[in-house]
Amino acid sequence: MCGATSPAQRLLHGLCPRSPHPRCAAGRIWLDNVNCAGNEKSIRDCKHRGWGNSDCSHEEDAGVICKDERIPGFKDSNVIETEQSHVEEVRLRAVVSGSRRRLPVTEGIVEVRYKDGWAQICDEGWDSKNSRVICGMMGFPAEKKVNRNFYKLFAERQQLNYRLHSVSCTGTEVHISMCTFQFYRGNSSAACSSGMPAVVSCLPGPLFATGGAQKKKQRQQQQSQPRIRLKGGAKAGEGRVEVLKNNEWGTICDDRWNLLSASVVCRELGFGSAKEALTGARMGQGTGPIHLNEVQCLGTEKSLWSCPFKNITQEDCKHTEDAAVRCNIPYMGYENLIRLVGGRTEFEGRVEVKRGSKWGTVCSDGWTTKEAMVVCRQLGLGYSLHAVTETWYWDASNVTEMVLSGVKCAGHELSLSHCQHHGSSLNCRNTGTRFAAGVICSETASDLLLHAPLVQETAYIEDRPLHMLYCAAEENCLSSSARHANWPYGHRRLLRFSSQIHNNGRADFRPKAGRHSWVWHECHRHYHSMDIFTHYDILTPNGTKVAEGHKASFCLEDTECEAGGIVRLWGTVKLRVPAESPHAGAVAGTSRVLFLPADVAKRYECANFGEQGITVGCWDLYRHDIDCQWIDITDVKPGNYILQVVINPNFEVAESDFTNNAMKCNCKYDGHRIWVHSCHIGDALSEEASKRFEQYPGQLNNQIS
């Protein structure tokens, strides 16, 4: 525990120095910013940031020195309480015919795990606040009234075993274990005087809505511009929290970020309460402004914007402190419809899907990272590291026949069945096992994005003589009309700019191809590790391409790295969640240990056939004055245009977020000069600002050299 506040705590604050000390604790820090009034019966009843939500290190471990005398009324006892004093698992048992076969379960009797079975909760004193907590745990943002008459008849015909009674929640708890309640002792089958179990009915969020009315509500919410979103998460309901302010998307600083504020975010987005309030850019660093700091929600707010917060200043926070969440989502059972077979680990294998009662493989025609991302998400295995189109090297002793083809995903689907496919008609060029689709999943992924201001600051036009462009022509870095030029006489007009490509993800960006297949270019004297890494294009305002750059193959390396502050993964430890934790039951789990290095070291260098890639926290810089760092605009007529740069355009390498791979700028070209302005990453602006983007206000820079 850290965050000492009492005199006794302050006495021991700093007990553990930065050097190793035998009295320093090991493992996870469970509590931070503990603030007690003094009359609480347990430290779990004090205010704090939430279980496991801490920005402390073990040199800040808190301690106490207790007095010898007992408080009045305290009695020693040799009676050992063996019964568990917490609730580990809760479910909604659907009993209405029809709803028992449909997922998600939105209504039913609330049951808690007890010994080897399930027990009920007596509904005496049960109110909507209790229902709200249960719905939040089940992944639903809100509760609704339920018809108790049916359940009363049901209860009269059943032998029920009551476990809890006198449940009293405030409605802001993320788990029923955090509410006050009592356990039944002895014979609990006839203990509930009302004779009714607690019954709850929940409203699903738009992503999990069923039925016509729910779908209509979902469409209405999608049509309105949201003011909050999650980015970079591997699963639905998790990610870095971003908010829209002044028509620009930005992040939230993690100061005082806790489960109450995180739950407001989750419910606002149509999920349940928060499982975790994550700090320290655990879901990757954002870009642009940091809009909010010290958000302190009560938990009852309908929107994060209704919570108290502080406006941010540049000195307050950096993107290494971006806040994130993991929300409770409804159980949909999607993982039961797919499996990985033949792989060497649980994270890889040939994809097999369940069609009716039959399992079968998937055709690999058109199988890309986007489809593989959906598979990994559906199985809860994180991100796709590779989309495998030939699976001959995996165990094929239990091969099934091919049952699905033509799969094409947008990448955000929760299940492969939600993607486009050929349905019951199979259409695949190669139906053998060798050509079945496969995946390799990873818990982390890279995230590339372009430093947009640098493009705007460095853009200019150069008229370059043809005799200096032989190497560029060899690598196809000029427009097609250059082939018909009068070499070596004449020139080409080039729009030149620098590009700085950052890796803000949680894994290094590595080329898909191994060293054995890299291509040596004698003219420029380096190996190209990717066939297509970046597209440079000039577009008309309606999206028609009028010129393109051919920066097709890149020599990937770390040019510079940030100094400190990048969260890195180091190892794992075994931990046991305390009984008071809302996550009790996840005992003896594995948790990553995080540390902050003083500096991020470069790992990749192109020279001497070195390894290629971009380390987390580093960037690869391509200066404006190197070959092929341009767009050939010789044939472009004067007018208003859009400069577009797209990194990893074919999604060859997995990233946690593909929506920030494109950068756009407004351009005005008068035949002699070019003005470049309003450069921004793909979805950094609101819809309204994006519509205004093409209206040119005029600039006074970027002369022809």
Side-chain angles (χ1 to χ4, degrees), residues 568-573 590-595:
R568 304 288 293 168
L569 303 182
W570 185 43
T572 61
V573 295
T590 301
S591 175
R592 297 175 192 81
V593 179
L594 304 173
F595 71 93

Side-chain angles (χ1 to χ4, degrees), residues 376-681:
C376 295
R377 179 183 301 118
Q378 187 173 350
L379 290 166
L381 297 178
Y383 309 93
S384 163
L385 189 62
H386 291 297
V388 183
T389 55
E390 291 192 23
T391 55
W392 53 268
Y393 47 85
W394 282 332
D395 179 23
S397 57
N398 295 315
V399 174
T400 56
E401 62 178 310
M402 196 166 285
V403 297
L404 193 64
S405 65
V407 179
K408 185 176 178 60
C409 303
H412 56 74
E413 295 88 350
L414 300 180
S415 168
L416 207 64
S417 61
H418 297 164
C419 303
Q420 297 178 26
H421 53 81
H422 290 156
S424 56
S425 59
L426 195 67
N427 183 10
C428 187
R429 285 179 299 175
N430 300 289
T431 56
T433 309
R434 173 179 176 178
F435 299 100
V439 296
I440 301 175
C441 303
S442 172
E443 290 182 309
T444 57
S446 59
D447 184 23
L448 297 188
L449 54 100
L450 197 68
H451 185 55
L454 185 65
V455 175
Q456 185 169 314
E457 293 163 8
T458 57
Y460 65 96
I461 289 177
E462 178 189 8
D463 289 331
R464 193 165 183 82
L466 280 173
H467 67 83
M468 299 176 66
L469 292 171
Y470 279 105
C471 268
E474 180 184 307
E475 293 196 27
N476 201 26
C477 294
L478 303 174
S479 63
S480 57
S481 64
R483 301 192 194 102
H484 309 295
N486 186 24
W487 292 78
Y489 309 104
H491 66 274
R492 305 298 293 180
R493 176 158 288 185
L494 309 173
L495 170 58
R496 310 196 70 150
F497 52 87
S498 297
S499 63
Q500 188 172 296
I501 299 165
H502 291 243
N503 182 2
N504 277 15
R506 292 184 289 154
D508 293 352
F509 184 93
R510 298 296 311 278
K512 182 179 180 180
R515 296 161 65 105
H516 64 280
S517 59
W518 294 354
V519 178
W520 172 257
H521 281 264
E522 181 65 32
C523 206
H524 285 139
R525 307 289 299 172
H526 59 229
Y527 282 95
H528 287 180
S529 56
M530 292 184 68
D531 290 335
I532 298 175
F533 179 68
T534 312
H535 282 169
Y536 301 158
D537 299 313
I538 296 290
L539 312 173
T540 63
N542 66 9
T544 304
K545 188 187 298 184
V546 295
E548 60 182 16
H550 293 276
K551 199 67 177 172
S553 301
F554 261 46
C555 170
L556 296 167
E557 63 181 359
D558 296 325
T559 306
E560 292 292 340
C561 299
E562 296 179 28
I566 304 300
V567 177
R568 304 288 293 168
L569 303 182
W570 185 43
T572 61
V573 295
K574 290 288 184 180
L575 61 92
R576 181 167 290 272
V577 181
E580 296 81 6
S581 168
H583 305 294
V587 295
T590 301
S591 175
R592 297 175 192 81
V593 179
L594 304 173
F595 71 93
L596 300 176
D599 291 292
V600 181
K602 299 178 184 179
R603 299 180 60 190
Y604 303 104
E605 187 176 11
C606 289
N608 302 318
F609 198 30
E611 288 292 341
Q612 294 193 21
I614 306 176
T615 304
V616 176
C618 300
W619 61 85
D620 197 357
L621 174 64
Y622 294 87
R623 287 174 50 92
H624 58 86
D625 55 359
I626 66 172
D627 262 11
C628 297
Q629 187 58 36
W630 61 57
I631 302 177
D632 185 347
I633 62 170
T634 306
D635 307 316
V636 175
K637 298 177 181 178
N640 293 333
Y641 297 99
I642 295 171
L643 165 61
Q644 178 177 273
V645 179
V646 184
I647 306 166
N648 193 16
N650 292 350
F651 315 109
E652 287 187 37
V653 178
E655 296 185 50
S656 59
D657 185 3
F658 288 118
T659 62
N660 58 12
N661 283 32
M663 184 222 68
K664 292 184 177 181
C665 306
N666 269 138
C667 294
K668 181 178 176 65
Y669 177 50
D670 66 2
H672 304 285
R673 295 168 297 175
I674 195 162
W675 294 267
V676 176
H677 65 96
S678 303
C679 295
H680 65 278
I681 300 299

Side-chain angles (χ1 to χ4, degrees), residues 41 46 61 64 178 274 310 357 457 546 572 668:
K41 293 183 179 180
C46 302
D61 285 347
V64 295
M178 302 175 74
K310 288 185 179 180
S357 59
E457 293 163 8
V546 295
T572 61
K668 181 178 176 65

Side-chain angles (χ1 to χ4, degrees), residues 190-359:
C192 184
S193 60
S194 71
M196 271 286 290
V199 178
V200 165
S201 184
C202 306
L203 283 170
L207 194 61
F208 305 97
T210 57
Q214 294 284 6
K215 292 293 184 183
K216 182 179 179 182
K217 182 180 178 182
Q218 179 182 3
R219 285 194 300 270
Q220 289 173 348
Q221 291 192 10
Q222 287 175 342
Q223 288 169 358
S224 59
Q225 169 76 349
R227 295 189 66 197
I228 189 167
R229 67 187 184 187
L230 301 183
K231 300 280 281 185
K235 306 173 187 174
E238 70 174 32
R240 181 178 60 255
V241 183
E242 295 191 350
V243 293
L244 185 65
K245 184 179 180 182
N246 298 328
N247 287 321
E248 190 172 8
W249 287 98
T251 61
I252 297 176
C253 187
D254 64 8
D255 292 351
R256 299 200 177 187
W257 186 247
N258 61 23
L259 284 170
L260 288 177
S261 301
S263 289
V264 171
V265 169
C266 291
R267 291 182 188 271
E268 184 177 356
L269 290 169
F271 305 109
S273 50
K275 285 192 293 188
E276 292 181 86
L278 302 172
T279 59
R282 287 278 300 280
M283 288 290 177
Q285 295 183 49
T287 57
I290 301 173
H291 284 317
L292 308 180
N293 189 17
E294 295 193 23
V295 179
Q296 291 181 280
C297 300
L298 299 174
T300 56
E301 298 87 350
K302 292 190 180 300
S303 171
L304 191 74
W305 291 102
S306 302
C307 302
F309 61 84
K310 288 185 179 180
N311 289 318
I312 197 77
T313 64
Q314 192 171 0
E315 294 76 24
D316 288 336
C317 236
K318 301 190 183 306
H319 281 299
T320 52
E321 302 170 77
D322 284 341
V325 296
R326 283 197 178 102
C327 307
N328 287 311
I329 65 169
Y331 176 71
M332 302 299 294
Y334 291 139
E335 74 279 5
N336 300 321
L337 305 175
I338 194 168
R339 66 189 183 188
L340 300 184
V341 179
R344 296 154 294 189
T345 70
E346 63 173 333
F347 283 88
E348 67 176 32
R350 190 170 52 254
V351 178
E352 293 191 359
V353 296
K354 194 173 185 180
R355 304 280 288 170
S357 59
K358 185 169 66 173
W359 286 93

